[in-house]
Amino acid sequence: MIKEFRRKALAKVNLGLDVLGKREDGYHELRMIMQTVSVFDRIYMKRTAAPGIRIRTNVGFLPVNENNLMYKAADLLMQRFQIGEGVFMDLDKHIPVAAGLAGGSSDAAAVLTGMNRMFELGLSQQELMDLGVRIGADVPYCIMQGTALAEGIGEKLTPLPSPPECRIVLAKPGIHVSTKFVYGNLKVDQISRHPDIDGQVEALKKGDLKMLADLMGNVLEQVTVSEYPKIGAIKEQMLEGGALGAMMSGSGPTVFGLFEDEKKAEQVYRQLREDPLIKQAFLAGWAP
Ligand code: ATP
């Protein structure tokens, strides 16, 4: 019987993000290309004889109670399967928090997978994904990982071929952008340019990195770039530094750029790391 579980919880970026409309339940109908990158949290889990859920983390401001998405994930399975034992979870966080990189959702996804293994629940990946959507719209994708077209609120997933190898530079400016603010201020009927998501699917099928990068676009930038000029400035800096394409991930504020040339990627990464207005920067690849 497995008593311990370790897993890397990967961050995701959106290579394309389109909003098609607003649903009656208040959610937005989305169309996105999702991709996991090699920026990750490390999660360690252990079964404990004492009941209950305990969380420890290296990030002081994160909740360790029922407000933590890892707690919600563990609790969901404990209630459903009437698990009498407990679980201890240690989160070593590196993914920027509230950054558009689905860090919390990825942690929750790792916990669902870990609980399934440790407590031998016998759930299939699809069953875990169906449960995961109750915690968050991105959780099913974070269980699946890799490259996917996400539709609906992000839970309808179609796997796609991985993009060709390249370097990815990510930078999170030191500003707080609330997801609620971004969606609340998006005027869906005034979106002037929708990204060509079908074109990106085509580019992935062809294995054409340049075409994929040329078609990168995120309609949510219409809200954030005017409010937070630093987001646009980072994009410019990446493109001037030789990125094939650069955009904001999710509802931001993290910006990422794709580079064919490793040296150019390193140079831009170093510049960004020295910028006092940038809180976290990474040089990464596609994952897993
Ligand atoms: P998304 O791309 O799905 O919008 P995000 O990167 O914007 O995700 P997260 O980092 O997942 O946002 O977390 C957003 C909020 O969730 C934070 O305010 C944080 O306090 C809370 N939270 C709860 N559990 C976690 C967790 N395990 N890791 C990070 N944040 C968490």
Side-chain angles (χ1 to χ4, degrees):
M1 189 189 290
I2 318 167
K3 291 219 155 153
E4 291 181 321
F5 182 82
R6 282 172 217 275
R7 189 170 167 111
K8 288 178 186 170
L10 301 172
K12 68 89 185 136
V13 292
N14 301 96
L15 293 165
L17 192 160
D18 196 12
V19 177
L20 306 182
K22 197 166 175 186
R23 311 194 321 183
E24 275 182 5
D25 61 8
Y27 282 102
H28 286 84
E29 190 77 27
L30 307 172
R31 221 156 167 252
M32 312 181 276
I33 306 284
M34 318 285 280
Q35 174 64 53
T36 28
V37 294
S38 63
V39 175
F40 49 83
D41 297 341
R42 283 182 193 278
I43 291 179
Y44 166 78
M45 298 174 70
K46 188 171 78 173
R47 281 169 69 151
T48 60
I53 299 167
R54 275 198 310 132
I55 300 178
R56 183 167 69 194
T57 173
N58 61 331
V59 177
F61 62 83
L62 275 183
V64 290
N65 56 13
E66 64 281 359
N67 292 320
N68 194 302
L69 296 173
M70 293 167 69
Y71 189 108
K72 289 192 206 294
D75 195 42
L76 178 70
L77 294 183
M78 281 187 159
Q79 305 252 4
R80 172 167 284 236
F81 293 91
Q82 312 247 304
I83 297 171
E85 284 175 74
V87 62
F88 167 76
M89 303 186 276
D90 192 357
L91 168 65
D92 185 15
K93 195 159 239 335
H94 300 281
I95 304 173
V97 175
L101 300 173
S105 303
S106 193
D107 295 343
V111 169
L112 291 174
T113 307
M115 294 284 290
N116 189 36
R117 296 263 182 87
M118 287 198 304
F119 293 98
E120 295 170 334
L121 305 177
L123 296 166
S124 66
Q125 188 183 65
Q126 188 58 52
E127 285 168 330
L128 283 177
M129 287 162 64
D130 293 343
L131 285 169
V133 73
R134 297 182 192 191
I135 300 165
D138 283 345
V139 176
Y141 166 71
C142 291
I143 293 173
M144 181 182 193
Q145 304 184 332
T147 315
L149 171 69
E151 295 170 292
I153 58 166
E155 88 295 7
K156 287 186 200 142
L157 297 165
T158 312
L160 291 168
S162 307
E165 279 289 299
C166 68
R167 298 307 282 163
I168 303 133
V169 177
L170 299 101
K172 180 192 177 259
I175 48 178
H176 181 74
V177 179
S178 119
T179 303
K180 218 171 151 196
F181 168 84
V182 176
Y183 279 102
N185 284 279
L186 179 73
K187 297 191 177 61
V188 180
D189 48 354
Q190 286 173 22
I191 295 173
S192 49
R193 230 188 107 244
H194 288 273
D196 181 1
I197 302 291
D198 290 329
Q200 286 197 308
V201 171
E202 205 47 46
L204 286 163
K205 289 184 176 162
K206 283 189 189 158
D208 188 336
L209 185 65
K210 177 137 195 330
M211 178 180 172
L212 181 71
D214 282 345
L215 297 175
M216 278 163 67
N218 179 351
V219 294
L220 301 180
E221 285 177 2
Q222 296 188 7
V223 179
T224 56
V225 170
S226 50
E227 190 79 10
Y228 307 98
K230 186 67 182 166
I231 293 174
I234 302 171
K235 277 181 65 169
E236 271 311 304
Q237 196 176 344
M238 288 188 176
L239 292 169
E240 275 168 21
L244 295 179
M247 68 178 251
M248 182 180 82
S249 184
S251 54
T254 305
V255 175
F256 69 97
L258 308 188
F259 293 80
E260 236 171 358
D261 184 322
E262 172 121 34
K263 286 212 173 65
K264 287 183 183 165
E266 273 170 21
Q267 201 171 1
V268 170
Y269 165 67
R270 262 187 261 115
Q271 281 171 7
L272 291 166
R273 228 181 29 177
E274 281 161 24
D275 181 339
L277 297 179
I278 291 193
K279 200 157 167 239
Q280 282 155 293
F282 302 88
L283 182 56
W286 306 132

